[in-house]
Amino acid sequence: QVQLVESGGGLAQPGGSLRLACVASGNIFSIRNMDWYRQAPGKQRELVAAITSGGSTYYADSVKGRFTISRDNAKNTVYLQMNSLKPEDTAVYYCNAVITTGSLGMYAYWGQGTQVTVSS
């Protein structure tokens, strides 16, 4: 009933940029936090950036100053602008959102993931 769909992944050169987007759709009453996680091969999934409904943000130390998270509440969309990309940013990036549904249940939802590869 609720779906998160990511887009914008792909191949970038070191120092390049990519912009990810995640759209939430379905039986949505409200959305609290919207987050981006990533998982590199052989590593645990880690939180990259988070944004509250009020716009407060959090960044992992590894991406501070390079990545920017933003959201458009009217479009139920969260973005991740990734600049100055490094090979170690290569991972599958996942969107996560805490959503109150129309039936007023609150759940955490995940997107399917989008691959980001940074390589020359």
Side-chain angles (χ1 to χ4, degrees):
Q1 292 182 340
V2 173
Q3 193 174 20
L4 300 182
V5 178
E6 300 109 333
S7 61
L11 176 65
Q13 291 189 340
S17 299
L18 287 173
R19 189 190 194 209
L20 306 182
C22 171
V23 180
S25 62
N27 187 22
I28 296 171
F29 178 76
S30 65
I31 303 177
R32 296 183 64 181
N33 284 20
M34 299 187 83
D35 313 321
W36 287 99
Y37 286 75
R38 67 185 180 188
Q39 188 167 19
K43 295 188 176 181
Q44 289 188 332
R45 191 172 297 190
E46 63 174 352
L47 177 62
V48 175
I51 186 167
T52 68
S53 57
S56 297
T57 57
Y58 161 86
Y59 295 96
D61 287 343
S62 58
V63 306
K64 279 181 183 176
R66 300 189 298 121
F67 290 10
T68 302
I69 189 170
S70 61
R71 65 190 281 177
D72 184 334
N73 291 329
K75 295 181 179 179
N76 291 339
T77 300
V78 62
Y79 304 96
L80 186 67
Q81 177 67 44
M82 305 186 293
N83 298 329
S84 302
L85 284 163
K86 304 176 180 180
E88 51 264 42
D89 295 319
T90 296
V92 178
Y93 284 70
Y94 296 91
C95 174
N96 174 272
V98 177
I99 295 174
T100 300
T101 66
S103 57
L104 302 183
M106 185 182 296
Y107 307 96
Y109 293 90
W110 290 91
Q112 81 285 356
T114 186
Q115 176 70 47
V116 170
T117 302
V118 184
S119 174
S120 55

